[in-house]
Amino acid sequence: MRSLAEFAMRSRMQAIGTSMVAAVLPLLGWLSTVIVALVALRMGAAAGSMILMWTLLPVGVAMYMIGDPSPAIALVGTFAMALILRQTLSWELVLIAAVVLSAVGAVLFELTAADILARFAEFYIAYLEQLNEAIEIAPEEAQTVLLGFFALGQAYAMLVMLSIARWCQSTLYNPEGFGTEFRAQRLSPMISAGIVALMLVCMLFPEQLGRWLPLLTVPLVFTALGLVHWFFKRRELSGNWVAAFYIGLVFLFQLIYPFLASLALIDSWFNVRAKVAGAQPQPPARRDDEDTDSKE
């Protein structure tokens, strides 16, 4: 990945060519989004917009032929988040933007890809019926649930692609910069309280707003992942621990995911890093008379 990023950043034409080729290759469309975000992070809005416009050509053709706007939504959303990160250097604002952009993207997907959403709803209903014959769910309700999962997936996809772009930038121009940023993530108490308040509103009006409840967990879980990596780094644990953690997250998702969200709230309100650092034993301070004696 580093070699590809280095090749793309040598010139504007190489960035455009690499991004457009990646956009048309099967299963490699995410690489074009990473390259666009990398150029935006490194060179700013003007250069990033140029790469974005050229990349939107093959992405737009694919969207016209297939009818799926999700790659274009992720591309534009990640580009916008890269500009926010470049201007503010704040992952907290990036996470808020991820929630807003994913919600807007889900609404656009509902408006422009109704047929695709209806087909997925049919598969979802059939899957639920196989699990339990007593389950009865209306197609409209199934589409609402799927839109919530679509927004959740888009948010994480954009954050992952932006993280890869930031890692590439760090590897090429500022070693260890991304790792330090990622491990230092922490939501302010005001933002975390606002997220909790919005979650309560979604719970009070599940039919109208329930679809957005999973999406609101994204800032919490993403910052909690940074805290977990900070703990591993502080304890000097090997990469095997990191791999084991993510494997456990996949297989024990229903248990670990709520724990991570709760951990992010605790860190936001009590600053776990500062508490842990303050709990470490400090070496005794040398007295002035000891310094005098040593000099004599």
Side-chain angles (χ1 to χ4, degrees):
M1 188 65 204
R2 184 187 187 281
S3 300
L4 181 63
E6 186 176 6
F7 173 81
M9 295 301 291
R10 287 176 183 171
S11 68
R12 178 178 298 179
M13 292 304 299
Q14 288 181 244
I16 292 174
T18 306
S19 181
M20 293 183 69
V21 170
V24 300
L25 293 177
L27 303 179
L28 291 179
W30 60 273
L31 277 176
S32 62
T33 304
V34 170
I35 294 170
V36 171
L38 175 59
V39 174
L41 286 170
R42 179 63 180 174
M43 301 182 179
S49 299
M50 180 66 67
I51 312 301
L52 174 67
M53 288 187 295
W54 282 99
T55 307
L56 281 174
L57 291 177
V59 173
V61 171
M63 182 177 65
Y64 176 78
M65 297 177 61
I66 302 175
D68 183 9
S70 56
I73 294 172
L75 175 62
V76 176
T78 307
F79 171 73
M81 290 160 55
L83 293 180
I84 293 173
L85 183 58
R86 172 182 168 84
Q87 294 297 323
T88 66
L89 299 178
S90 172
W91 277 94
E92 185 178 54
L93 293 178
V94 168
L95 292 171
I96 296 173
V99 172
V100 175
L101 292 170
S102 298
V104 173
V107 174
L108 291 176
F109 185 84
E110 183 180 17
L111 295 175
T112 59
D115 295 339
I116 296 177
L117 185 60
R119 289 197 295 269
F120 275 106
E122 293 177 358
F123 293 139
Y124 180 64
I125 293 173
Y127 172 73
L128 292 179
E129 290 177 349
Q130 290 180 356
L131 293 179
N132 189 349
E133 296 181 357
I135 293 179
E136 294 183 3
I137 181 172
E140 295 79 9
E141 184 179 354
Q143 292 181 18
T144 299
V145 173
L146 290 176
L147 275 176
F149 285 118
F150 173 82
L152 179 70
Q154 283 287 97
Y156 278 117
M158 292 190 297
L159 285 171
V160 168
M161 289 184 287
L162 178 62
S163 297
I164 295 174
R166 191 64 164 177
W167 173 82
C168 290
Q169 182 190 24
S170 173
T171 302
L172 294 176
Y173 309 107
N174 182 26
E176 296 297 327
F178 170 70
T180 303
E181 280 185 1
F182 184 71
R183 291 189 294 269
Q185 287 184 98
R186 176 173 171 262
L187 294 176
S188 65
M190 182 179 297
I191 295 298
S192 61
I195 292 174
V196 172
L198 290 175
M199 287 181 172
L200 293 176
V201 173
C202 292
M203 292 178 183
L204 291 175
F205 304 96
E207 294 183 1
Q208 296 82 8
L209 302 174
R211 70 175 72 177
W212 308 121
L213 186 58
L215 179 60
L216 291 172
T217 64
V218 172
L220 299 175
V221 173
F222 198 79
T223 53
L225 292 176
L227 180 60
V228 170
H229 279 262
W230 172 83
F231 174 79
F232 288 155
K233 180 71 173 181
R234 184 178 181 84
R235 300 291 296 180
E236 298 182 353
L237 300 176
S238 66
N240 294 332
W241 285 87
V242 179
F245 167 75
Y246 281 102
I247 292 173
L249 179 59
V250 172
F251 289 99
L252 301 174
F253 181 82
Q254 293 181 339
L255 295 176
I256 298 180
Y257 194 87
F259 170 77
L260 290 175
S262 303
L263 182 62
L265 291 175
I266 295 172
D267 182 43
S268 174
W269 294 332
F270 299 103
N271 197 348
V272 173
R273 295 172 183 83
K275 298 291 184 182
V276 173
Q280 296 297 319
Q282 299 294 329
R286 177 179 295 180
R287 297 184 303 174
D288 294 337
D289 56 350
E290 292 177 348
D291 294 339
T292 303
D293 294 341
S294 63
K295 293 179 181 178
E296 294 176 354

